Amino acid sequence: MIVTLIVVSEVGFWVLLAAGLALRYLARMPRAGAAVLLCEPLLEVVLLVVTAIDLKNGAEPDWKHGLAAVYIGFTATHGHYMVKWADGHAAHRLGRGPRPAKPPRYGTPRAVHEWKMAARGVGAAAIAAGLLQLAVWYVGDGSQTEPLHAWQARMGLVAGISLVIGASYTVWPKRAPEGATDGASR
């Protein structure tokens, strides 16, 4: 049931995103579109509540509960970024707005961008690890919580990889090719 709800949450995210942007730009109803987009966090709240109820009803903690925490963590840190990205592209394509800026490609601006993405990755891992720890305390049985601890270790790995990627762009910045103007964008 938890895996199905995770899939439904992911599909629901994209459906709400498409509906919100369609209302905003195609139907020219910006307030209704914004209201639909603001409903997206409710999907994660429902997933969190259902996961907690599943554990409360005696379900043995396993990889599904860990995956739910990871999904919530990553949606919390990357969801707004994704909505903003999609909104910029929809405004350009449907609303005749300006072309959205692309991420910088070279030098310090690229390193700053990668550090921001690394911060999102670390934040997602921290939220997921925190939710997993709450689940461990909620369950209370040390022998049953091993799958949740395994997910926490994976989140530590995700945070570490995110930091290494950010650092790599600082230590070895990508250089602009000869003839590039500012090196900040394509």
Side-chain angles (χ1 to χ4, degrees), residues 16 20 23-24 29-42:
L16 286 174
L23 283 170
R24 181 176 261 182
M29 300 170 66
R31 286 187 179 159
V36 169
L37 292 173
L38 287 172
C39 290
E40 288 189 345
L42 295 176

Side-chain angles (χ1 to χ4, degrees), residues 38-131:
L38 287 172
C39 290
E40 288 189 345
L42 295 176
L43 296 170
E44 283 68 47
V45 171
V46 168
L47 179 59
L48 181 63
V49 168
V50 169
T51 302
I53 290 170
D54 191 43
L55 289 171
K56 180 70 173 170
N57 289 338
E60 186 172 327
D62 61 6
W63 65 272
K64 296 176 285 202
H65 299 97
L67 183 61
V70 170
Y71 178 81
I72 292 168
F74 276 82
T75 303
T77 58
H78 290 78
H80 180 264
Y81 178 79
M82 212 46 219
V83 169
K84 187 176 175 182
W85 175 86
D87 188 49
H89 284 277
H92 173 66
R93 301 258 181 200
L94 302 174
R96 299 181 189 216
R99 177 179 220 103
K102 293 183 179 182
R105 294 182 67 192
Y106 309 110
T108 303
R110 178 59 184 230
V112 169
H113 171 76
E114 292 300 330
W115 276 110
K116 288 178 182 177
M117 294 306 291
R120 283 186 184 90
V122 170
I127 290 169
L131 290 172

Side-chain angles (χ1 to χ4, degrees), residues 135-163:
V136 166
W137 291 333
Y138 189 62
V139 172
D141 184 2
S143 63
Q144 288 187 328
T145 58
E146 186 55 39
L148 302 178
H149 287 298
W151 275 104
Q152 284 180 314
R154 289 182 192 117
M155 292 302 95
L157 186 62
V158 166
I161 290 170
S162 296
L163 292 173

